[in-house]
Amino acid sequence: MQPPVTRYAKSGDVHIAYQVVGDGPLDVVFVPGFVSNVENSWEDPNLARFLTRLSSFSRLILFDKRGTGLSDRVASIPTLEQRMDDVRAVMDAAGSQRAGLFGISEGGAMSMLFAATYPDRVHALALYGTYPHFSSFVLAPDRVQSFIDAIETRWGTGDSVRFFAPSRANDDRFRAWWAKFERLGASPSAVIALTRMNCEIDVRHVVRSIRVPTLVLHRAGDSRVNVGAGRFLGQNIPTVKYVELAGSDHVAWVGDSDSILSELEEFFTGSRAHVDVDRVLATVLFTDIVDSTRRAVELGDRGWSRVLEQHDQIVRREITRYRGREIRALGDGFLATFDGPARAVRCANDIAERIHIELGFNIRSGVHTGEVELKGEDIGGIAVHMASRIADLAGPGEVYVSSTVRDLVAGSGLRFRDLGRHAAKGLPEELRLFVLEPAAALAGPRIEPAH
């Protein structure tokens, strides 16, 4: 899906950036945590999927808090009350008279304050990984300065990912996106100011005044906010439902996000989508280095390691350029998905060209479009197996595609040669395969590099 349009609401003299996505029967306001950027959020596949799922059963309202993202920078540290007023301003601008609030982390405190202050505008309150008192559940006073020192020297590098999403701390692609998330979310000085403001958060006296239906979600091993915070809220908010989940990531869309989304959907709508895994139509691309074992022997461990590093950089660059999603590296190849088959085919062709020109060896690729099962950050299903088997049958420098792909790219300018039907290991039926005519990949509109 295309990212929604960013607009501005006026909260006093401050402009607050917001977006509206989805057309469900109820409004849900997503109150972000520490920092955010509503446009950059859609560039991470996992976060985009998380927001898309939320918007599947609601009219989802997103915004950047004052001093962060695309909202106005402010001269002084914003108070919790001012931030609460920003929620009201965004709801007014979006034409929302009454909404569910979904507050995460720091955003939970302002959500609780808003729900207690304006119960007529909140039909339900959901909280994830949040806290009523910063010093008790996030950082003790004697640890704040060391955190600020880390922000001062390393903000914008992605270093803070270890505090918020430890399971992805060694994922280079995610860490690069997180570094950008830091830079676009707020400047180092703004983050330090926000941290000092957060140190003052204490809404323990507010929680018993919340009268709207409330759901509290917290991961037992949360790396940023101690689970005791969730348990405190579960014990002290009237009419609350408390759900403790497994996991250590503080970031909601990392790890088992489906459990969080299912709880939210059931809570806000009264029913839960009864699916163990999500199924979507996607184009699957497998790439593979031809004769990788022989080349590894020829180059030796050190030489082959350098070549693989260059190979991975080239493949990832092209996947990003064609707006694909890397699923995983396979040692001597990659698995990726695309929301359009023509982009996947052109991506495969360009990977083969770049690898041959820059590294002097050949790549073979297989492309198939079908229904895949989304398993957290991985995928599965028959479509994945078919794409893998198609890649196995391809020759050096060739891009093989299924008949489904060939049919879907009609009108794209891509041309294929019919290879007839072929048996594929592990598949019950023969596949009708086509090979891309390389010159045809240059036809049609080109995809500009992603920025």
Side-chain angles (χ1 to χ4, degrees):
M1 63 172 289
Q2 293 294 319
V5 175
T6 301
R7 297 183 172 84
Y8 286 92
K10 198 76 175 291
S11 180
D13 296 324
V14 178
H15 295 86
I16 305 297
Y18 76 97
Q19 297 177 341
V20 179
V21 58
D23 57 0
L26 70 149
D27 291 347
V28 172
V29 180
F30 184 98
V31 185
F34 198 36
V35 297
S36 65
N37 184 295
V38 289
E39 293 187 353
N40 184 52
S41 295
W42 296 98
E43 294 186 13
D44 177 66
N46 298 299
L47 179 50
R49 175 177 173 266
F50 190 89
L51 298 176
T52 299
R53 172 79 181 274
L54 285 174
S55 68
S56 70
F57 58 83
S58 72
R59 190 174 76 111
L60 183 64
I61 302 170
L62 311 168
F63 73 101
D64 292 330
K65 299 191 297 289
R66 61 175 60 205
T68 68
L70 299 176
S71 294
D72 280 349
R73 299 302 183 256
V74 290
S76 59
I77 299 176
T79 66
L80 207 55
E81 289 80 4
Q82 287 174 318
R83 290 187 161 196
M84 179 187 67
D85 285 340
D86 294 345
V87 175
R88 183 172 56 179
V90 167
M91 288 179 64
D92 289 343
S96 178
Q97 293 302 311
R98 199 159 181 257
L101 296 188
F102 176 37
I104 64 171
S105 193
E106 175 207 309
M110 55 193 287
S111 299
M112 287 186 275
L113 186 60
F114 189 93
T117 306
Y118 304 108
D120 57 319
R121 302 206 64 176
V122 180
H123 68 74
L125 170 67
L127 304 169
Y128 166 79
T130 195
Y131 52 89
H133 185 225
F134 184 89
S135 297
S136 296
F137 300 109
V138 185
L139 278 179
D142 61 352
R143 295 177 56 203
V144 172
Q145 190 56 51
S146 62
F147 181 77
I148 288 176
D149 291 343
I151 295 299
E152 185 76 59
T153 58
R154 298 195 289 274
W155 185 256
T157 66
D159 180 71
S160 74
V161 71
R162 58 196 171 99
F163 299 121
F164 296 92
S167 73
R168 302 295 294 278
N170 296 320
D171 183 329
D172 291 340
R173 183 187 64 79
F174 185 82
R175 191 182 178 98
W177 177 83
W178 189 268
K180 186 177 181 182
F181 169 81
E182 291 176 346
R183 296 191 297 271
L184 296 181
S187 68
S189 295
V191 172
I192 291 171
L194 292 171
T195 299
R196 296 193 188 282
M197 189 278 287
N198 289 346
C199 289
E200 304 300 319
I201 290 179
D202 186 356
V203 295
R204 287 176 293 184
H205 60 288
V206 171
V207 296
R208 290 189 178 277
S209 300
I210 298 172
R211 293 290 180 265
V212 301
T214 303
L215 171 69
V216 175
L217 303 170
H218 212 108
R219 284 175 174 157
D222 192 308
S223 58
R224 184 66 181 161
V225 179
N226 188 281
V227 68
R231 293 169 181 170
F232 177 94
L233 297 175
Q235 293 167 1
N236 289 278
I237 298 177
T239 65
V240 68
K241 177 184 178 183
Y242 175 65
V243 179
E244 193 165 298
L245 305 163
S248 61
D249 292 298
H250 178 60
V251 175
W253 62 90
V254 172
D256 182 14
S257 59
D258 285 335
S259 294
I260 295 171
L261 290 163
S262 293
E263 291 289 346
L264 289 169
E265 182 173 6
E266 183 175 30
F267 175 68
F268 281 128
T269 68
S271 62
R272 180 191 299 243
H274 295 288
V275 291
D276 294 326
V277 292
D278 290 338
R279 293 178 177 271
V280 298
L281 186 72
T283 298
V284 181
L285 165 65
F286 270 93
T287 69
D288 179 55
I289 299 173
V290 178
D291 291 334
S292 58
T293 302
R294 177 176 62 82
R295 292 186 175 275
V297 172
E298 291 173 351
L299 294 172
D301 290 343
R302 184 172 298 179
W304 183 241
S305 179
R306 285 197 297 267
V307 167
L308 277 182
E309 184 177 349
Q310 292 175 281
H311 162 269
D312 291 355
Q313 290 175 350
I314 292 170
V315 176
R316 288 191 169 110
R317 182 182 68 207
E318 295 303 320
I319 290 173
T320 300
R321 181 174 178 239
Y322 284 92
R323 302 201 297 272
R325 175 193 171 202
E326 176 191 332
I327 302 300
R328 59 180 180 268
L330 304 169
D332 54 0
F334 275 80
L335 166 61
T337 59
F338 297 77
D339 58 8
R343 284 199 292 274
V345 173
R346 289 196 170 102
C347 180
N349 182 74
D350 282 5
I351 287 172
E353 287 185 353
R354 299 319 310 168
I355 293 293
H356 186 72
I357 292 171
E358 297 182 31
L359 300 181
F361 56 84
N362 289 312
I363 294 290
R364 59 185 174 193
S365 304
V367 184
H368 175 61
T369 300
E371 190 177 64
V372 301
E373 300 172 356
L374 301 178
K375 301 178 178 180
E377 295 168 16
D378 202 357
I379 61 173
I382 190 66
V384 178
H385 294 296
M386 289 180 70
S388 176
R389 295 297 176 254
I390 291 170
D392 290 343
L393 295 169
E398 292 183 328
V399 179
Y400 276 23
V401 308
S402 65
S403 58
T404 305
V405 171
R406 193 281 309 264
D407 294 342
L408 288 173
V409 300
S412 66
L414 295 170
R415 292 190 299 277
F416 302 90
R417 177 163 48 89
D418 193 341
L419 300 173
R421 294 188 174 277
H422 293 259
K425 181 180 178 181
L427 297 178
E429 297 181 1
E430 290 186 337
L431 297 173
R432 186 180 178 190
L433 299 179
F434 297 79
V435 61
L436 175 69
E437 299 286 1
L442 299 175
R446 305 297 288 169
I447 303 297
E448 291 300 319
H451 297 288

